[in-house]
Amino acid sequence: MGTPLPEDRRGAPLRAVVTGSDSGIGKAVAVAFASGGVDVGITFHEDADGAAHTAEQVRDLGVKAAVRRLDLGDLPTAAAVVDELAEELGGIDVLVNCAGTGTATKAVDMDFDTWRHVLSVDLDGAFLCSQRAAKHMIAAGKGGRIINITSVHEHAPRVGAAPYCAAKAGLGALTKVLALELAEHDITVNSVAPGEISTPMTGQEDVDPRTQPRPGVPLGRPGHAKEVAAVVAFLATPSAGYVTGASFVVDGGMLLMGPQASGMLTDSNWREP
Ligand code: NAD
């Protein structure tokens, strides 16, 4: 925490928008940015109190917080929230696409609406928010950073998570295309791919990951949201200025385990979500 963030070359304060920052990883990212002196635009879907709490933590660190409700199931209209936040903060230098949702249903049993909803929130939403943010960054002419929170499922599949895996892999590919297209504007685009992190999404809100043994993960435990936020914060620093189109896996070594874990499984329970 407290990682120095990129200095605006014209001396104005930096502004970041973090979608899905009412809880979990997004909240940790918002607080990490604020502790580096960055004003933060916060979005929530259902948890207005969570967003208010994030805003309070951000303001306690001496920077501005702006809050909006964002429903990425309601596109393309909802993406206008990025414009609103940019206007309230006086611009946007960093966008973190962190909002996300998933499923636990096998593909053959999945209804189309569920498939579409996950694609809408996890992929279409990130596309439209990135497009809006990039337009502001290009117009301001000062470069910028777009950081997409994907998942280890950007790189490897999981039973029951067809739309999530398709969306996160798609977001990884979108990251690389945007990195190519926005480089001429000095905008870098990278993804951060977490493994299991203790957040509401994994049923571990306020759980200390060090108390949760995970023998199948090389580092032996889930990750803390702050451990993902630290990598996101680094990607927004001047030190990361030459990094673009990359995917940073933050998973305690989980993705390395494929072949070895396969050899250790003694039953077929993995076939069910
Ligand atoms: P979380 O439940 O705390 O956060 C999910 C966020 O998504 C919330 O802030 C919520 O407001 C937002 N959201 C959900 N539906 C939305 C919608 N329809 N419109 C707009 N926003 C919506 O969980 P988290 O673990 O902090 O998840 C944050 C991101 O990290 C997600 O993209 C998730 O896929 C990714 N991720 C999490 C883990 C993990 O193990 N926790 C692992 C890999 C990737």
Side-chain angles (χ1 to χ4, degrees):
M1 291 302 127
T3 315
L5 287 149
E7 289 148 25
D8 185 315
R9 281 172 290 246
R10 293 183 193 170
L14 275 174
R15 298 123 320 182
V17 169
V18 184
T19 68
S21 41
D22 53 293
S23 63
I25 294 168
K27 181 176 204 161
V29 169
V31 173
F33 280 166
S35 61
V38 175
D39 296 333
V40 188
I42 294 158
T43 83
F44 68 97
H45 177 222
E46 290 176 327
D47 186 1
D49 289 347
H53 188 239
T54 305
E56 190 184 318
Q57 284 188 256
V58 164
R59 290 183 188 119
D60 283 351
L61 287 160
V63 291
K64 267 197 239 167
V67 180
R68 289 287 186 288
R69 180 169 189 270
L70 172 67
D71 181 0
L72 294 174
D74 179 23
L75 295 175
T77 328
V81 161
V82 173
D83 296 334
E84 290 175 23
L85 287 169
E87 191 173 334
E88 187 170 339
L89 296 172
I92 176 169
D93 306 286
V94 182
L95 170 70
V96 180
N97 284 304
C98 186
T101 191
T103 57
T105 307
K106 279 190 172 181
V108 286
D109 299 323
M110 181 146 328
D111 60 88
F112 185 62
D113 285 350
T114 305
W115 166 270
R116 276 294 343 146
H117 180 69
V118 177
L119 268 288
S120 177
V121 175
D122 292 3
L123 182 56
D124 300 347
F127 164 67
L128 289 168
C129 291
S130 298
Q131 195 178 46
R132 299 254 182 177
K135 284 182 179 173
H136 288 283
M137 291 171 188
I138 291 167
K142 295 181 296 171
R145 304 288 162 94
I146 297 175
I147 301 159
N148 295 318
I149 307 302
T150 57
S151 164
V152 285
H153 303 302
E154 175 192 345
H155 303 291
R158 181 180 180 89
V159 170
Y164 187 79
C165 295
K168 296 294 190 177
L171 185 54
L174 176 65
T175 298
K176 295 186 181 83
V177 174
L178 290 178
L180 287 180
E181 293 185 359
L182 297 175
E184 66 177 300
H185 302 289
D186 205 16
I187 299 168
T188 67
V189 189
N190 293 286
S191 67
V192 172
E196 181 190 350
I197 309 299
S198 296
T199 70
M201 183 173 268
T202 54
Q204 299 172 62
E205 191 170 5
D206 299 327
V207 169
D208 180 346
R210 292 167 299 185
T211 65
Q212 307 294 304
R214 291 291 184 274
V217 175
L219 286 178
R221 61 170 176 85
H224 195 289
K226 288 180 181 176
E227 293 174 306
V228 181
V231 177
V232 175
F234 163 70
L235 286 170
T237 64
S239 307
Y242 202 57
V243 179
T244 196
S247 175
F248 286 77
V249 174
V250 184
D251 73 341
M254 178 190 273
L255 275 180
L256 303 175
M257 289 296 286
Q260 182 146 349
S262 307
M264 303 296 286
L265 292 175
T266 55
D267 60 40
S268 291
N269 290 342
W270 65 269
R271 293 183 189 279
E272 296 308 317

